[in-house]
Amino acid sequence: MSRIIKEIKHLPQLPHRKRVAAYTRVSSGKDAMRHSLSAQVSYYSNLIQQNPGWDYVGVYVDEAATGTKDARDDFRRLLEDCRAGKVDMIITKSISRFARNTVMLLETVRELKTLGVDVFFEEQNLHSIGADGELLLTILASYAQEESRSVSENCKWRIRNEFKKGNPTCGILMYGYDYHDGTLVINQQEAKTIRMIYAYYLSGMGKNAIMRKLERLGIPTKQGGRWATNTVVSILTNEKLTGDMCLQKYYVTDHLTKRKKRNSGELPQYYVEGSHDGIIDRETFEAVRAEITRRSRIYNHPTSKPEGSEFTGMITCRRCGAHFRRKINACGTKYAKPTWTCMTYSYRGKEYCPAKRIPEDILQQKCAEVMGLLAYNPERFKECISSILVPDDGVLVFTFHDGTERTVTWENRPRRESWTPEMREAARKQIQRRMERD
């Protein structure tokens, strides 16, 4: 039988249309920069859509961000779209607009190259996919990074010169004041709250109690959020409320990470007296400072700190999602017993989370029980248990490193059964001291 051979003719393939996106960024929120950003978006939109061989994907825009850090929302979104296969080429103005960190630039370009995505830098007329692309990018990115360092050093020099003259260098967002034309102006409504906070503290209230009091009164924070203990502490310790100003409390460590660090003597500080109108008189401010020191000596004893405990960060409250922290129900005596308390309950009160405290001795006892030990062993605990969940009062759910779970219940002994006569006497004396102080 003779063979029959037929020629199969394929239809001509349509040319592949390249999916193109653009990335642009400005490093300031000023009106002039916003206008420039709008012009760039319009330019790239027209450029891509007018090319018959390109499909317009979009223009990805970041505003008021720095090119030395990877904290750019649209930049990250662009990379995700590239990984999802939605983009074939990216157009951007220059290397410095794309990234000024050499390492980050090369890592990003190399990843995009493996995905088959080309990056075209208009100013340098350079494609990342090419024989000499990476070498040229390395050299040019190094120049861009050095330019960033130079700009950063110039800014630091200007800021520190202003500090020497006693001038703050930017607007100050601070409770109790509004910032107008380079001057702190008292916000009278917020000033009333600040004076109330100082009065509460000197009357014997703690920072947590003051925070809860402000929330019950419905007093808003500067930006409308919830009050926090750190906010109360900052108000009680801020010298600006007296009309003085300490400049250069913090400084930026380097131009790449932009990380702020507290100035502990690395750079000079400048204290400006009478720089603006004060809300709190200096006598009251010093009285609060002395009271903070006094309370710190009494309550901040080493045994109350959770650092070093194997339970730290392991116990989670299902009600609110917060961790439990170690706390000594201190009578200031050797009879104080450690317990583990939900941080929401501890800092904000029972109305926010009613989770019950867990005595540490009961916690250790239950750990030994689920591990099948006669006595609690902290090293064995670390080897076996990965987390502890508290879904309800008196219930503990232990998760082992192998993924298995075990639920146990516990019950606290009544106080009258667990307290010795010495403990009752110590508690009575503490209450008496508080009454005398108040």
Side-chain angles (χ1 to χ4, degrees):
M1 182 176 178
S2 60
R3 293 185 300 166
I4 300 174
I5 301 172
K6 294 181 178 180
E7 182 181 351
I8 300 174
K9 295 183 178 180
H10 293 281
L11 294 173
Q13 291 185 347
L14 295 174
H16 173 69
R17 292 173 61 84
K18 189 174 290 187
R19 295 164 297 178
V20 181
Y23 176 74
T24 183
R25 174 182 62 84
V26 294
S27 55
S28 171
K30 296 178 181 178
D31 290 339
M33 289 298 184
R34 290 195 182 100
H35 177 74
S36 169
L37 185 61
S38 176
Q40 290 181 57
V41 171
S42 177
Y43 164 74
Y44 284 121
S45 297
N46 292 331
L47 176 68
I48 297 172
Q49 292 180 55
Q50 289 174 4
N51 191 310
W54 292 352
D55 281 336
Y56 176 72
V57 177
V59 179
Y60 297 75
V61 178
D62 280 312
E63 184 181 354
T66 172
T68 57
K69 295 174 69 177
D70 196 16
R72 295 174 282 167
D73 293 336
D74 253 26
F75 186 77
R76 289 198 299 268
R77 189 167 66 88
L78 172 60
L79 294 181
E80 289 300 321
D81 286 347
C82 291
R83 293 172 186 131
K86 299 178 181 178
V87 181
D88 297 319
M89 187 172 80
I90 301 168
I91 302 175
T92 189
K93 181 180 179 182
S94 67
I95 290 174
S96 63
R97 293 292 89 191
F98 200 66
R100 287 183 179 171
N101 182 325
T102 304
V103 174
M104 187 187 80
L105 172 72
L106 293 178
E107 286 179 351
T108 304
V109 168
R110 284 170 181 169
E111 181 188 358
L112 293 174
K113 188 182 289 187
T114 62
L115 297 171
V117 178
D118 184 23
V119 184
F120 177 63
F121 303 94
E122 283 190 302
E123 196 171 281
Q124 290 82 20
N125 192 26
L126 177 65
H127 286 271
S128 63
I129 291 182
D132 299 326
E134 185 162 328
L135 174 61
L136 290 172
L137 280 172
T138 304
I139 297 170
L140 294 171
S142 298
Y143 278 114
Q145 183 169 315
E146 181 60 24
E147 177 193 359
S148 174
R149 188 199 65 79
S150 176
V151 170
S152 176
E153 292 301 319
N154 288 338
C155 287
K156 288 178 183 178
W157 179 85
R158 177 182 59 80
I159 290 169
R160 288 166 188 171
N161 270 352
E162 290 298 316
F163 284 161
K164 289 178 183 178
K165 299 173 185 176
N167 300 324
T169 57
C170 59
I172 299 174
L173 183 64
M174 174 183 170
Y175 195 84
Y177 289 95
D178 298 321
Y179 193 75
H180 293 301
D181 300 324
T183 305
L184 287 173
V185 180
I186 294 177
N187 182 313
Q188 295 299 336
Q189 188 62 38
E190 293 176 356
K192 290 180 183 177
T193 303
I194 286 175
R195 296 186 186 102
M196 185 168 61
I197 290 172
Y198 273 70
Y200 283 154
Y201 193 80
L202 290 176
S203 71
M205 289 180 67
K207 56 185 183 292
N208 290 341
I210 294 173
M211 175 198 69
R212 292 194 289 267
K213 179 77 170 180
L214 295 173
E215 290 192 338
R216 284 196 299 271
L217 294 173
I219 297 173
T221 62
K222 188 72 173 179
Q223 296 181 297
R226 295 171 65 178
W227 285 92
T229 53
N230 288 341
T231 309
V232 175
V233 171
S234 68
I235 288 174
L236 292 170
T237 56
N238 195 338
E239 83 291 339
K240 292 183 181 68
L241 298 176
T242 67
D244 297 344
M245 188 180 294
C246 183
L247 301 175
Q248 201 154 259
K249 291 180 182 178
Y250 296 86
Y251 67 96
V252 176
T253 56
D254 61 80
H255 70 290
L256 294 178
T257 64
K258 308 288 185 183
R259 185 171 63 89
K260 272 191 173 181
K261 183 180 178 183
R262 178 176 286 277
N263 185 2
S264 301
E266 294 87 350
L267 296 171
Q269 291 183 330
Y270 304 93
Y271 196 88
V272 185
E273 294 186 3
S275 62
H276 54 277
D277 293 333
I279 296 174
I280 300 297
D281 61 81
R282 286 183 174 81
E283 291 76 13
T284 303
F285 185 78
E286 292 300 328
V288 165
R289 179 179 289 183
E291 178 64 10
I292 291 173
T293 302
R294 187 190 70 81
R295 295 187 193 183
S296 178
R297 285 198 298 265
I298 295 174
Y299 299 111
N300 290 352
H301 44 84
T303 56
S304 67
K305 294 183 180 179
E307 288 80 7
S309 171
E310 65 276 16
F311 296 123
T312 301
M314 296 282 286
I315 310 171
T316 305
C317 176
R318 176 175 282 177
R319 285 186 173 102
C320 66
H323 285 304
F324 275 59
R325 65 186 286 262
R326 190 172 190 261
K327 189 173 182 180
I328 302 272
N329 299 324
C331 301
T333 74
K334 63 182 178 180
Y335 303 110
K337 296 184 65 176
T339 61
W340 286 83
T341 308
C342 171
M343 293 180 70
T344 303
Y345 173 87
S346 180
Y347 288 116
R348 295 194 170 274
K350 190 175 182 178
E351 59 271 24
Y352 289 95
C353 183
K356 190 176 180 180
R357 296 179 180 182
I358 307 171
E360 189 171 78
D361 57 348
I362 291 179
L363 182 61
Q364 292 174 344
Q365 176 189 333
K366 292 301 173 181
C367 287
E369 180 182 320
V370 298
M371 292 187 294
L373 303 176
L374 295 176
Y376 173 69
N377 185 315
E379 295 302 321
R380 184 64 177 158
F381 170 81
K382 295 176 186 177
E383 294 172 0
C384 295
I385 309 296
S386 63
S387 65
I388 304 172
L389 183 67
V390 184
D392 204 351
D393 292 340
V395 181
L396 298 172
V397 180
F398 290 84
T399 301
F400 290 76
H401 287 300
D402 61 5
T404 59
E405 292 185 353
R406 184 173 175 187
T407 302
V408 297
T409 59
W410 63 273
E411 185 176 355
N412 199 5
R413 290 183 296 164
R415 181 177 293 183
R416 63 178 178 272
E417 295 180 11
S418 59
W419 277 39
T420 64
E422 292 86 354
M423 294 168 67
R424 292 192 180 93
E425 178 63 18
R428 186 190 66 78
K429 289 181 179 179
Q430 185 194 30
I431 294 171
Q432 184 177 358
R433 285 196 298 271
R434 285 180 179 173
M435 293 177 63
E436 291 173 352
R437 187 174 69 244
D438 295 342

